[in-house]
Every structure is written in C-alpha cells, then in structure tokens.
C-alpha cells in the first residue's frame, strides 16, 4: 500500500460515550468483520473488561475502505484505554497515529479524562475530528455540546459529525472524514527501521505478541531485531496485520501497523514505548517518549490459607509475564504470615490484578489498604523509598518524610463546586485554580497528596456531585510533610497490615475513627477484644469489642432446620475471608477500613 493511502487514527472518548460501539460500526461498515462474527464489542477481549464495560488494554484493527474518491484506503484504528491509570499507554498509541476521533456523548458533554487525552493528542500534532455520538437520544443537545467543545478545547466544531454508533448514523461521514482530514504518514521508508511498540500481550504458545507502528524503514519476517530500551535481540518468527484477526504478511513498511512474534518470554522485554530497530543497520536514536511505567500504589496480598502461598507466587509470576507494570516482592508480616507486597499503576490496575488472581487462579486473598511511595531521609542523610508503612524508620532515625503529590482537575456543574472544594480541602488539597469553562462545566484544580486520592476520593467525588463530576490527575512531585505512622493494636498486639501513614494533624481523628470502624467490622468472639490506635508507644484512642454472649444457633427456637442451615451457610461464607490474627479472626473489610472512614 502506498503511504498516501494509509490513515492511522485512534478514538478518544470518555468511558460510556460509545467508543467500542463506534469501533464495531466501523469494522462492520468496512466489512472487516461480518455481522455474524461480530460479537458485542469486538475490541474489548478480556472478560473483565466486558463485564465492567471499560477498555483496559488497547488493541488495533486494520480496515480496507473504498472512499468516494474511488481509491481504496487502509485505515488503522488503534484503540486506547479510557482510564487514568493507563495514560502512558494512551500517549504511546496516540504517538502511533496522525489523527483521532474525539467522541463525545451529545447528551453529556466533555469530561476531564477526555480533555486530558485531547491535550495529549494535540501535543502529538494529531488532527482531531469531533464526533457527537448518541444523537438518537431524546436528551441529545448537539449544538450545546459543539459550543462546549469549542469553548473548552478551542476546537472548531463547524464540521463536527453527528452520529449514533448504536443506530449506524454518520458512520460513512466519519470514514470519509478520516480519509480527507487525517494526514497520511510521512514517507520515511528509506530510513533505518524504527517501530514503536504501543501494546503487547503474552501468548503461551508464541511468546509475547507485540503490536507496533512502523515509523521508519521496513520490517521483514526473519529479520533480526533489537529492542532499544531493553537491549534484547530477537529473530522475527511471525509478522502480520490485525484485521482484527491476525493475518501473516512478509513485510511491513513505514506508516503501517502490525504485530510480531519472536519468542519473547515476557512483556517486560518488549515494553510499551520501546523502539524496535534492526540489529544491522540499527537506527542511531530510539523514538522519543519512552518511559518505564512505574507503580504508584502498593498493597499487601496474603492468602487467607497459608498453604496457598506458593500458588499465589505462581499466579503472580504468570500475570507478570503479561503485565510489565505489575511489581511484587515477598513480604513477611508477623500478623499475616507470608505474602507479597505488590505495586500497581493505580487503583483500577490494583483491582484488576486482584480480581484476576481470585477468578483465574482461584485464590482467596486478603488485601491490605493501598499505600504510596514515601521518600524518607534518614539522619545519616540517605534517602530511602518506603512503600509499606510498617517499614517506616522511627522518628529518631529519620530526618524528614516526603510524599507524592498529584495535580487533580475536576470538571463539574457549578452547583457542586462547593462540596468538591470541601472534599479536596478535607483531603489536604492546595487550591490552584478555578475556571468557568462552559455552561455546566467548571474546572477545579488542586494539588493534593496521592495518598489522599488512592483512598475513596473518586467515589466521594462522584457521590458529592451526584455522578456529574469527572476527574483526571497526574504526578507533580514530592513534598515534605509532618507525617506519622499510626499503629493499630488488636488484643494488645500491633497488626502491621493495619498500620498507616497519616498527617500529624489528622492522626487523632483517623485513629479514633479507625478503632470505631474496626469495632463494627470485627465479629464478636468468646472473649473481650481491646482495640487501640497508637503513635509510637502513645495510645491515642481505644475501644473494645465485647465478648459474645450466645451462640448463633440459640436464636433459632426449636427445630427450624432450614433456618439453621441458612445461618450456618452464611457463617461459612463469611469465614472464607477471615484472617486469624493471634486468637482474633479479622475479616477482609477490616483491612480496608481506613478507606471508609
Ligand atoms: P469504554 O469501553 O468503557 O471506554 O466505553 P465505551 O466508550 O466503549 O462505550 P460503549 O461503546 O461500551 O457504549 C456505552 C453505552 O452507550 C452502551 O450501553 C452502548 O449501547 C451505548 N451507546 C453507544 N453508542 C450509542 C448511541 O449512538 N446511541 C445510544 N442511544 N446509545 C449508545
């Protein structure tokens, strides 16, 4: 295919605005996929994604389109994940494109994450085509939303396309706009090979399958290639395009999008953002923008049943083959026994991994509350990274603690500005900016400790704005704060996975709320259980769980067998997620109590 007949584009959209539905439509319209083969939401392959209705991993599809000018074009759609945890992957897939469809729900308008991704696209000089989706809905207000896009993004909406992905309206217009508005790739086939990896996944037969865009030069089957960041070398066993099923080809030239297999053992050897070049001749420079995705959120994972420790290790090893951003190290806790300290890109990533471990590997896990990475300067002047509150050096051994801050932008209707400011301030946020963007859209910007965001910030934002506000955040750096470690003692014993790092001024409040919450969450036992919150040796709050007086069954008078059975079943179910700490059974929810104060 001549470069002039290639168009590479992605779709930028907020969750639920219809990206997957539109992608399906484009595949159908171009007969890339037949109606019969079209399962709902073709591009979202993972079950989990389908269930949650969100796009986690990005993929690609190549379509052949007969345009009205009589020529056939190759359109490569590169899908992007719609969540802030994966914004680095979004940036790499945008770097592989010359254009993007900006899909906005015509009954909803622009959301914070969309805005962040549009700015990324503009940074990469992409041609952006606004598409107002869901115009079939009675509540659709395309004119108002067009104005909103113009006001907020400054994008000309004169040619915005009105569409309904669901009913198939505007699909031809979108395909034509891609051909006429998105520029073709540059003619750089004469240069040494450089291909940008924008996604990869692990296949147990062929090894890692790498998705890439050839930026310069040509890649052929059998070529010996080098990955410039990882430094590894491979022979290409298989080369192909995604239509969207894998179809093998002999070579791919600058401008094209495809996949390769080269017996690569783990995705960390072929990371998103890395540059593929030939061993000979090698490109002098890699493509710009490579960053090793670093975990930002950490938690402990412990099997409820100590016998499952090895199974958990195997499962993490397997997951890691397909998820380079997942980190894990063995951890021993006096209270919990053997487990792992795991690092994730963000909360969603954390939830996905936990769910996969439990569902695909059949493990019963206790998860401890998420923590961030603190920088601690010791009195010797060393700076150490602490991702687990129980490893925090004592006040005598440390000089200062710094914690990560994020810049958070919320878009909200005016009426919720007050409640959201209150929320941000209560989470130690520093107010930075407030702007009226358009009717129903005020932007609120705060700089706020990441530790305060990884708790229930998102849920609180949603509930305080009745679901209308949206947010986006990114790391801005580390700042010193007077932080202390708050320990929790159950039955007189410190329980390390319940330890948290909190601001000194909030310690008393958090300690009190935490023991009160634990009192609710930990079931009664045959004996009285004291609960305490302490900073160092100073107890700042205490409560106790009274002893159990009657056994459960005594409530069932006489011989109501079925009721007894039900109660016992209920108990057995509850038992699954208990961890015995000393003589006290602590339920999973208790380890997350700090998130729900
Ligand atoms: P993520 O995968 O989370 O990014 O969501 P998405 O943007 O891909 O949204 P998806 O295509 O899954 O659509 C979300 C919901 O909106 C689904 O219930 C669709 O059926 C519905 N939907 C999509 N397009 C239209 C449309 O044009 N009109 C109407 N009425 N509903 C639509």
């Amino acid at each position: 295919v001549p470069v002039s007949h290639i168009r590479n584009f992605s779709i930028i959209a907020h969750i639920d605005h219809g990206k997957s539905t539109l992608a399906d439509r484009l595949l159908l319209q171009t007969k890339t996929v037949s109606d019969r083969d079209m399962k709902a939401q073709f591009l979202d392959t993972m079950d989990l994604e389908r269930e949650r209705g969100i796009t986690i991993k990005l993929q690609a599809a190549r379509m052949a389109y007969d345009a009205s000018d009589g020529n056939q074009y190759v359109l490569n759609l590169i899908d992007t994940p719609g969540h802030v945890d994966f914004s680095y992957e979004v940036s790499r897939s945008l770097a592989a494109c010359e254009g993007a469809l900006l899909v906005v729900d015509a009954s909803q308008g622009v959301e914070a994450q969309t805005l962040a991704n549009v700015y990324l696209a503009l940074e990469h000089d992409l041609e952006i085509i606004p598409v107002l989706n869901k115009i079939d809905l009675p509540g659709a207000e395309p004119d108002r939303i067009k104005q909103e896009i113009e006001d907020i993004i400054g994008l000309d909406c004169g040619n915005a396309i009105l569409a309904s992905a669901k009913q198939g309206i505007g699909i031809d217009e979108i395909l034509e706009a891609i051909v006429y508005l998105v520029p073709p790739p540059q003619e750089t086939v004469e240069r040494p090979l450089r291909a940008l990896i924008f996604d990869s996944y692990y296949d147990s037969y062929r090894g890692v399958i790498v998705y890439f865009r050839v930026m310069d030069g040509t890649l052929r089957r059998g070529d010996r290639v080098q990955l410039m960041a990882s430094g590894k070398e491979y022979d290409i066993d298989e080369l192909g395009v995604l239509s969207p099923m894998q179809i093998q080809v002999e070579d791919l030239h600058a401008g094209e999008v495809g996949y390769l297999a080269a017996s690569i053992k783990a995705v960390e050897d072929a990371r998103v953002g890395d540059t593929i070049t030939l061993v000979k001749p090698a490109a002098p420079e890699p493509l710009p923008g490579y960053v090793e995705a670093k975990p930002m959120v950490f938690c402990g994972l412990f099997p409820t049943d100590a016998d499952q420790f090895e199974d958990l290790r195997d499962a993490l090893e397997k997951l890691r083959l397909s998820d380079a951003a997942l980190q894990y190290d063995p951890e021993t806790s006096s209270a919990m026994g053997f487990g792992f300290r795991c690092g994730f890109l963000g909360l969603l990533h954390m939830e996905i991994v936990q769910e996969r471990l439990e569902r695909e590997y059949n493990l019963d896990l206790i998860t401890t509350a998420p923590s961030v990475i603190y920088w601690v300067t010791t009195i010797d002047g060393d700076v150490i990274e602490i991702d687990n509150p129980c490893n925090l050096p004592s006040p005598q051994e440390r000089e200062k603690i710094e914690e990560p801050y994020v810049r958070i932008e919320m878009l909200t209707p005016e009426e919720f500005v007050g409640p959201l400011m209150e929320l941000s301030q209560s989470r130690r946020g520093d107010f930075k900016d407030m702007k009226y963007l358009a009717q129903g859209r005020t932007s609120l910007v705060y700089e706020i400790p990441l530790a305060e965001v990884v708790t229930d910030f998102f849920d609180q934002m949603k509930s305080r704005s009745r679901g209308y506000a949206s947010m986006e955040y990114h790391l801005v750096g580390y700042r010193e704060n007077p932080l202390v470690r708050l320990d929790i003692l159950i039955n007189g014993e410190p329980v390390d996975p319940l330890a948290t790092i909190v601001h000194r001024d909030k310690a008393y409040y958090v300690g009190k709320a935490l023991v009160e919450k634990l009192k609710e969450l930990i079931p009664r036992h045959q004996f009285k259980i004291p609960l305490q919150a302490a900073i160092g040796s100073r107890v700042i709050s205490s409560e106790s769980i009274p002893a159990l007086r009657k056994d459960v069954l005594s409530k069932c008078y006489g011989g109501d067998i079925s009721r007894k059975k039900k109660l016992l079943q209920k108990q057995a179910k509850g038992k699954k997620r208990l961890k015995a700490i000393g003589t006290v059974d602590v339920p999973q929810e208790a380890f997350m109590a700090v998130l729900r104060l």
Side-chain angles (χ1 to χ4, degrees):
V1 202
V3 165
S4 59
H5 287 178
I6 299 177
R7 299 291 182 272
N8 297 317
F9 71 104
S10 63
I11 305 178
I12 296 173
H14 188 68
I15 288 167
D16 268 355
H17 283 200
K19 185 177 65 182
S20 310
T21 313
L22 178 60
D24 287 355
R25 277 287 167 191
L26 298 177
L27 294 179
L28 278 175
Q29 195 89 347
T30 54
K31 305 196 173 60
T32 312
V33 177
S34 72
D35 235 335
R36 197 164 48 98
D37 294 340
M38 174 68 70
K39 281 186 267 159
Q41 308 205 344
F42 204 95
L43 285 177
D44 290 355
T45 41
M46 271 169 63
D47 277 356
L48 253 171
E49 290 188 24
R50 205 165 295 177
E51 247 169 65
R52 292 167 168 237
I54 48 166
T55 313
I56 297 161
K57 290 295 275 181
L58 50 105
Q59 293 192 3
R62 172 176 168 137
M63 300 172 253
Y65 174 62
D66 296 310
S68 61
D69 66 2
N71 293 315
Q72 191 178 69
Y73 290 83
V74 166
L75 310 184
N76 288 307
L77 164 59
I78 297 179
D79 197 16
T80 54
H83 194 274
V84 54
D85 282 8
F86 304 99
S87 54
Y88 172 65
E89 298 191 10
V90 176
S91 85
R92 294 305 83 203
S93 53
L94 293 178
C97 296
E98 279 79 24
L101 300 176
L102 168 61
V103 174
V104 180
D105 184 328
S107 66
Q108 303 277 333
V110 176
E111 304 293 350
Q113 184 65 42
T114 319
L115 202 55
N117 288 345
V118 170
Y119 290 144
L120 272 177
L122 290 171
E123 265 173 44
H124 288 104
D125 284 328
L126 301 198
E127 177 68 32
I128 297 176
I129 303 169
V131 174
L132 301 180
N133 191 33
K134 306 200 187 182
I135 52 153
D136 60 294
L137 288 179
E141 297 176 87
D143 290 333
R144 183 174 73 78
I145 304 299
K146 270 190 210 173
Q147 190 61 46
E148 186 177 306
I149 296 174
E150 292 198 347
D151 292 348
I152 298 181
I153 304 173
L155 198 67
D156 178 13
C157 281
N159 304 323
I161 300 167
L162 303 189
S164 165
K166 197 168 184 175
Q167 300 191 347
I169 302 169
I171 309 302
D172 277 321
E173 268 178 276
I174 293 174
L175 289 165
E176 288 291 312
I178 293 168
V179 167
Y180 292 107
L181 298 176
V182 175
Q186 288 185 329
E187 302 254 10
T188 52
V189 75
E190 300 306 327
R191 297 188 195 164
L193 172 73
R194 287 199 297 180
L196 173 67
I197 300 180
F198 61 80
D199 195 15
S200 63
Y201 73 90
Y202 178 76
D203 177 291
S204 44
Y205 297 104
R206 296 176 293 170
V208 175
I209 306 295
V210 175
Y211 290 173
F212 58 88
R213 147 87 192 263
V214 185
M215 306 303 286
D216 303 325
T218 299
L219 181 59
R220 295 184 179 81
R221 182 158 57 155
D223 275 347
R224 187 154 182 84
V225 296
Q226 174 195 147
L227 297 177
M228 297 181 85
S230 76
K232 305 232 163 141
E233 293 184 7
Y234 300 96
D235 294 313
I236 307 279
D237 305 329
E238 193 182 322
L239 193 65
V241 294
L242 302 144
S243 88
M245 287 74 64
Q246 298 176 346
I247 295 176
Q248 296 204 32
V249 300
E250 285 303 312
D251 46 33
L252 288 169
H253 306 282
E256 293 191 284
V257 173
Y259 78 93
L260 65 82
S263 309
I264 301 171
K265 292 213 176 59
V267 289
E268 67 181 312
D269 298 326
R271 285 178 181 249
V272 170
D274 201 348
T275 302
I276 306 166
T277 189
L278 294 181
V279 168
K280 252 190 240 150
E285 297 259 338
L287 295 161
Y290 175 71
V291 183
E292 199 170 298
K294 273 196 92 177
M296 302 233 281
V297 178
F298 290 77
C299 77
L301 290 181
F302 296 89
T304 39
D305 178 354
D307 292 344
Q308 282 196 332
F309 175 75
E310 288 303 329
D311 296 343
L312 175 56
R313 182 201 295 280
D314 289 346
L316 284 167
E317 235 164 64
K318 287 209 186 89
L319 275 188
R320 162 93 193 157
L321 290 176
S322 61
D323 185 348
L326 169 66
Q327 239 184 34
Y328 64 95
D329 286 301
E331 174 185 3
T332 322
S333 145
S334 55
M336 308 287 280
F338 294 104
F340 292 92
R341 191 80 191 161
C342 302
F344 309 93
L345 294 174
L347 279 188
L348 178 71
H349 185 214
M350 179 172 116
E351 276 175 39
I352 292 167
V353 171
Q354 283 164 10
E355 250 181 85
R356 292 188 63 185
L357 286 171
E358 301 199 334
R359 265 207 244 181
E360 295 169 28
Y361 298 91
N362 246 325
L363 297 165
D364 283 321
L365 300 173
I366 294 281
T367 311
T368 67
S371 166
V372 299
I373 296 188
Y374 296 90
W375 290 352
V376 179
T377 307
T378 65
I379 45 168
D380 304 327
D382 298 332
V383 179
I384 50 177
E385 293 192 354
I386 297 292
D387 63 39
N388 188 344
C390 26
N391 298 336
L392 187 69
S394 70
Q396 296 79 38
E397 294 166 316
R398 63 182 194 238
E399 189 73 40
K400 62 174 180 182
I401 310 180
E402 289 161 282
E403 62 177 326
Y405 268 69
V406 291
R407 183 183 167 89
I408 181 168
E409 175 163 21
M410 293 173 271
L411 292 192
T412 176
E414 295 81 273
E415 67 237 67
F416 305 117
V417 163
L420 292 183
M421 289 181 93
E422 220 176 282
L423 170 66
S424 308
Q425 249 121 34
S426 75
R427 299 301 166 88
R428 300 192 282 133
D430 295 329
F431 174 79
K432 286 291 155 190
D433 196 14
M434 179 165 83
K435 268 200 288 264
Y436 175 89
L437 297 178
Q439 190 205 336
R441 285 284 181 283
T442 299
S443 149
L444 261 183
V445 177
Y446 275 84
E447 289 184 0
I448 196 166
L450 177 61
E452 301 278 352
V453 178
V454 301
T455 55
D456 60 345
F457 191 92
F458 181 78
D459 296 341
Q460 285 292 330
M461 179 201 74
K462 282 285 173 196
S463 82
R464 290 182 194 209
S465 65
R466 280 192 262 122
Y468 282 108
S470 65
M471 66 181 245
E472 182 274 325
Y473 66 83
H474 58 268
L475 199 64
V476 286
Y478 271 72
R479 288 183 202 162
E480 182 180 356
N481 270 322
L483 302 173
V484 295
R485 188 179 78 206
L486 184 69
D487 290 318
I488 297 295
L489 291 81
I490 297 182
N491 223 358
E493 291 293 323
V495 180
D496 43 352
L498 287 176
T500 52
I501 294 177
V502 294
H503 193 277
R504 195 180 51 207
D505 299 344
K506 279 177 127 186
Y508 176 75
Y509 159 77
V510 174
K512 186 168 180 311
L514 198 49
V515 289
E516 277 165 12
K517 193 86 203 167
L518 288 172
K519 184 179 173 186
E520 276 169 38
L521 293 172
I522 297 175
R524 289 186 180 198
H525 285 57
Q526 304 292 348
F527 46 89
K528 181 175 153 190
I529 306 169
L531 299 172
Q532 293 160 313
I535 298 173
S537 55
R538 188 164 53 96
V539 172
I540 57 171
S541 184
S542 58
E543 280 282 345
S544 67
I545 304 171
L548 200 60
R549 257 168 283 156
K550 293 173 194 149
D551 83 73
V552 238
L553 296 185
S554 65
K555 276 196 218 120
C556 314
Y557 313 100
D560 185 347
I561 301 276
S562 73
R563 173 125 190 245
K564 259 186 205 169
K565 256 199 195 143
K566 250 190 211 150
L567 260 174
L568 287 172
Q569 269 167 4
K570 214 166 145 193
Q571 270 203 331
K573 228 179 177 178
K575 241 189 210 121
K576 239 182 148 185
R577 294 306 195 88
L578 289 173
K579 186 84 190 172
I581 291 187
T583 47
V584 180
D585 287 334
V586 181
Q588 163 69 61
E589 304 83 66
F591 295 98
M592 292 290 171
V594 68
L595 303 190
R596 302 208 191 84
L597 300 182

